[in-house]
């Protein structure tokens, strides 16, 4: 165990800036090692979250390489029994310099690391939005807020994450928070429910850069708008960066307070229009390349010639073509692409329903579908039910409230808790992560197989 741990630390020391290494890794200790599970002791929850968010993937990869097998790595922040409480160095300076500890003292950035500037293809349709995003990310221009506007699947979420990742990459201590407006709303509801509003406000007003995706969903949500307005003002006055994305122009967001509308219109407005054919081909070719697949120019142009402008949808077609190619071990030629695409478009018309999700999950765990809808609190049902709620969030557009209702009239906070829990456990528990991805696959194929 000591050896594994020491080799891991040596590898990290080589890779990381000395500051980061000393701050985050010197205080760690090996705790236990079983056949495939390695537990590392960390000083507190703050360390655990920070290390998981910023170094989790890298450390897990290193451990697998060093141990030469798949290892489950966990960070434990409970103190060993009878331990000397002074045995650990005090936590990182910035965590102690903050006011009284609260559950909001550590930040989940919420960023997706795969979306970066380097894998964003620039074309005339997104040039302005890209340039503005880059300027904000490099802090070379004061556009506040930056408002990215464009239709669905045109790269707003990608750009927002690219900005956030770039900021954090330059300065680990920067507090960057990315939230969909729905996640922001849910967090607010949760804070109201648990009387955690002052923590909530404290947290959001100490951020260095706030990125809210799909802000148009704030329309009609009065309480969220009010809270967001104050957060916005506090950050704005402190000259902190705010970046928003929206499917709608501020003037077209229904039920939006005028004072917010004018805030949204007060910064830089950058729109993304549907990509031209060449840009579409370039994006698809790049995505295929990332998957290690060479996309023939004719097939690329064929895909791009579809009326579809939503790149997410095109990517979906591409992914399915690639799956087909790898299953049949045949290259994707134009004929095949044309034939398959017809099937995909047809299959997309059929929706993945909650019933289907529950049925697949019940089959997998060998339970009855009625168990999922009942209010029974049996222990064995908890995880499958949480998994099904998580999947319902992935696959359907049902709100947490609606999902709760259809799972035996549960409260929406139960659904939020379930989704968070599954996400959290998946990070550390590879077998659960595998189960979920298997369920996802089955759901997708059963939905297509029904009529397709
Ligand atoms: P939006 O948030 O505007 O609905 P997304 O940012 O989610 O759209 O983009 C949908 C998908 O298309 C993502 O996988 C994203 O990586 C990809 N995408 C969109 N525009 C580009 C681009 N210019 N270069 C590379 N990928 C892109
Ligand atoms: Mg988006």
């Amino acid at each position: 165990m000591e050896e594994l741990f020491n080799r891991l630390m040596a590898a990290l020391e080589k890779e990381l800036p000395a500051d980061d290494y000393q701050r985050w890794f010197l205080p760690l200790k090996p705790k236990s090692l079983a056949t495939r599970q390695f537990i590392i002791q960390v000083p507190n929850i703050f360390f655990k979250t920070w290390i998981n968010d910023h170094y989790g993937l890298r450390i897990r990869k290193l451990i697998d390489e060093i141990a030469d097998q798949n290892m489950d790595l966990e960070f434990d922040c409970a103190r060993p029994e009878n331990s000397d409480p002074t045995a650990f160095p005090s936590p990182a300076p910035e965590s102690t310099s903050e006011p009284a500890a609260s559950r909001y003292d550590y930040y989940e950035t919420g960023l997706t690391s795969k979306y970066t500037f380097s894998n964003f293809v620039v074309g005339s349709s997104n040039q302005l939005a890209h340039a503005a995003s880059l300027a904000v990310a490099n802090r070379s221009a004061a556009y506040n807020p930056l408002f990215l506007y464009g239709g669905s699947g045109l790269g707003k979420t990608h750009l927002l994450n690219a900005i956030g990742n770039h900021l954090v990459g330059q300065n680990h201590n920067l507090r960057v928070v990315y939230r969909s407006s729905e996640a922001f709303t849910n967090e607010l509801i949760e804070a109201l429910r648990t009387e955690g509003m002052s923590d909530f406000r404290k947290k959001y007003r100490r951020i260095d850069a706030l990125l809210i995706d799909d802000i148009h969903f704030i329309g009609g949500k009065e309480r969220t708008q009010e809270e967001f307005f104050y957060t916005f003002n506090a950050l704005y006055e402190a000259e902190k960066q705010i970046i928003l994305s929206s499917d709608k122009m501020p003037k077209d967001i229904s039920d939006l307070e005028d004072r917010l509308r004018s805030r949204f219109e007060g910064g830089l407005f950058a729109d993304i229009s549907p990509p031209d054919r060449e840009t579409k081909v370039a994006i698809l070719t790049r995505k295929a390349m990332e998957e290690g697949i060479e996309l023939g120019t004719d097939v690329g142009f064929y895909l791009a010639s579809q009326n579809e402008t939503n790149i997410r949808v095109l990517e979906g077609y591409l992914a399915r073509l690639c799956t087909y190619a790898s299953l049949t071990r045949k290259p994707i030629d134009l004929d095949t692409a044309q034939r398959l695409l017809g099937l995909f478009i047809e299959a997309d018309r059929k929706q993945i329903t909650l019933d289907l999700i529950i049925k697949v999950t019940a089959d997998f765990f060998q339970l009855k579908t009625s168990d999922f809808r009942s209010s029974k609190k049996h222990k064995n049902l908890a995880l499958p039910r949480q998994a099904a709620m998580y999947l319902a969030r992935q696959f359907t557009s049902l709100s947490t409230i609606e999902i709760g209702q259809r799972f035996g009239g549960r409260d929406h906070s139960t659904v939020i808790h379930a989704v968070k829990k599954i996400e959290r456990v998946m990070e550390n528990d590879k077998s659960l992560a595998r189960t979920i991805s298997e369920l996802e696959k089955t759901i997708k194929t059963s939905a297509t197989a029904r009529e397709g």
Side-chain angles (χ1 to χ4, degrees), residues 20 71 92 121 138 143 161 187 218 224 252 281-282 372 390 410 433:
D20 293 358
M71 297 288 291
V121 175
N138 284 321
Y143 301 134
N161 279 283
E187 224 174 288
I218 206 175
T224 307
D252 296 330
V281 177
F372 286 78
Y390 170 85
R410 290 181 158 72

Side-chain angles (χ1 to χ4, degrees), residues 113-122 130 134 158-159 162-163 165-166 286 289-290:
S113 56
K114 71 172 176 179
Y115 292 141
T116 62
F117 282 116
S118 62
N119 60 16
F120 188 84
V121 175
V122 185
H130 173 262
L134 204 57
H158 190 134
L159 277 179
I163 298 173
N165 287 320
H166 191 88
R286 163 135 213 148
M289 197 185 75
E290 281 168 15

Side-chain angles (χ1 to χ4, degrees), residues 96-114:
T96 49
S97 62
E98 296 301 346
S102 81
R103 67 205 147 104
Y104 286 122
D105 262 3
Y106 56 89
Y107 290 77
E108 286 170 35
T109 65
L111 290 166
T112 304
S113 56
K114 71 172 176 179

Side-chain angles (χ1 to χ4, degrees), residues 61-73:
K61 194 151 175 267
L62 278 173
I63 278 277
D64 287 355
E65 279 168 22
I66 296 170
D68 201 20
Q69 60 169 328
N70 261 338
M71 297 288 291
D72 281 343
L73 176 68

